[in-house]
Amino acid sequence: MNLVAHKHLKLPDDKRLFIIGDLHGCWDLYKKGTKILGIDNDDIVISLGDLVDRGPEAFKCVLEFTRKENRYAIMGNHEHMLVKGMLDGDRSYYECWYQNGGHVLWDQFEEEGVTLIATMLENLPVIITVEYRGMMLAFAHGGWCAQVGQYSPYELGSLLTKKNNEKILEAIMWDRDSIGCAMEEYPIGDVKDVDYIFHGHSYVKEPIIHHNRVYMDTGNCFNGNLTFASFDKRDLWFYSTLEED
């Protein structure tokens, strides 16, 4: 597997931008949020990864964020396990994927369908950077871990695009140390040269902003709480699907 390190976007300031936490096949919650927030095809939505597994409608989520205009996704650890297991034939990744919610996808689509879904996901970038309304934003599934702390997301993404290092990219997708520091309010500092960097992967009861790091995997398939983030001009705000309609 040759991971795609980085995708950079320059977004029009007049478009609305939304960010969503880990979907895990919960299409109904995604549609509930888009309806309440009035998100349409002209709005831009960025997924923080983990489109697949556990929930019942992963294929709709994959189609939305791999085939539709104005939709983008980073690679989460569940996509990583799926691609490594199905396309690379790595048994340890396959078993980890299957035991952590992949069995739901397998029971629906069996080998041929699951392999097709893996091919749709294999080119998702690990890092997305975005220029928007005078801000630099970044998106990475797990966390901006200690191994890469000296780099900005744009710097590291550009470097790894030229010289791919799968271990570093895996560390970013799978990191849980940085959220541990955030939960303990440990001063780990800002990520370099970004206004905000958004992460999923690790459960938080409600979104946490620690320095310029935003953690927003609020449970979704376990508790019905899918979090959306957006900006009022440059002010960050959140919406939860558990809020009253």
Side-chain angles (χ1 to χ4, degrees):
M1 179 182 188
N2 188 23
L3 287 164
V4 175
H6 179 223
K7 184 180 186 70
H8 183 70
L9 305 171
K10 294 183 179 181
L11 302 182
D13 292 346
D14 60 348
K15 281 186 177 286
R16 296 196 300 169
L17 168 64
F18 294 89
I19 302 109
I20 59 164
D22 304 24
L23 265 178
H24 283 301
C26 293
W27 180 252
D28 58 335
L29 294 178
Y30 174 68
K31 294 307 290 182
K32 175 183 178 180
T34 58
K35 180 179 179 181
I36 289 173
L37 296 172
I39 297 172
D40 60 29
N41 292 337
D42 197 48
D43 294 318
I44 297 165
V45 186
I46 297 177
S47 159
L48 292 175
D50 284 2
L51 297 169
V52 298
D53 305 336
R54 296 178 176 151
E57 295 185 284
F59 186 59
K60 289 182 179 179
C61 300
V62 172
L63 281 175
E64 177 84 358
F65 286 94
T66 63
R67 297 296 183 267
K68 191 171 180 178
E69 293 291 327
N70 293 322
R71 303 293 186 265
Y72 302 94
I74 53 175
M75 181 170 284
N77 66 301
H78 280 257
E79 285 83 23
H80 184 233
M81 290 188 291
L82 171 58
V83 173
K84 290 279 287 185
M86 293 304 300
L87 302 187
D88 289 4
D90 188 308
R91 182 172 294 182
S92 63
Y93 280 88
Y94 171 80
E95 290 177 352
C96 189
W97 165 75
Y98 188 87
Q99 293 167 11
N100 286 277
H103 67 280
V104 176
L105 203 64
W106 184 273
D107 290 346
Q108 285 182 301
F109 297 103
E110 299 184 338
E111 183 174 0
E112 184 176 357
V114 171
T115 301
L116 172 62
I117 291 170
T119 64
M120 297 171 69
L121 297 168
E122 64 177 325
N123 291 318
L124 292 180
V126 176
I127 303 164
I128 289 179
T129 52
V130 170
E131 295 177 55
Y132 179 64
R133 295 183 179 175
M135 299 181 288
M136 178 68 86
L137 309 175
F139 306 83
H141 183 66
W144 205 246
C145 50
Q147 297 96 311
V148 300
Q150 71 271 33
Y151 295 101
S152 75
Y154 186 85
E155 286 173 335
L156 185 69
S158 300
L159 176 63
L160 292 175
T161 296
K162 298 172 185 176
K163 187 178 181 180
N164 196 297
N165 186 316
E166 187 168 344
K167 289 184 178 180
I168 293 295
L169 292 169
E170 284 197 31
I172 294 167
M173 284 186 285
W174 288 81
D175 176 67
R176 293 196 195 276
D177 290 340
S178 59
I179 182 65
C181 292
M183 298 286 281
E184 296 297 327
E185 299 185 354
Y186 185 81
I188 55 177
D190 284 351
V191 175
K192 182 181 174 184
D193 294 340
V194 294
D195 293 272
Y196 293 103
I197 181 168
F198 293 86
H199 306 294
H201 187 51
S202 298
Y203 170 73
V204 290
K205 186 175 181 180
E206 58 187 25
I208 292 175
I209 303 176
H210 186 58
H211 298 286
N212 59 353
R213 307 161 190 249
V214 183
Y215 303 90
M216 48 181 290
D217 176 12
T218 49
N220 189 16
C221 59
F222 298 112
N223 58 16
N225 185 10
L226 176 64
T227 291
F228 290 69
S230 190
F231 293 91
D232 182 3
K233 295 184 179 178
R234 292 175 50 139
D235 295 328
L236 181 63
W237 57 268
F238 300 99
Y239 163 77
S240 163
T241 51
L242 289 182
E243 294 179 25
E244 292 295 328
D245 295 358

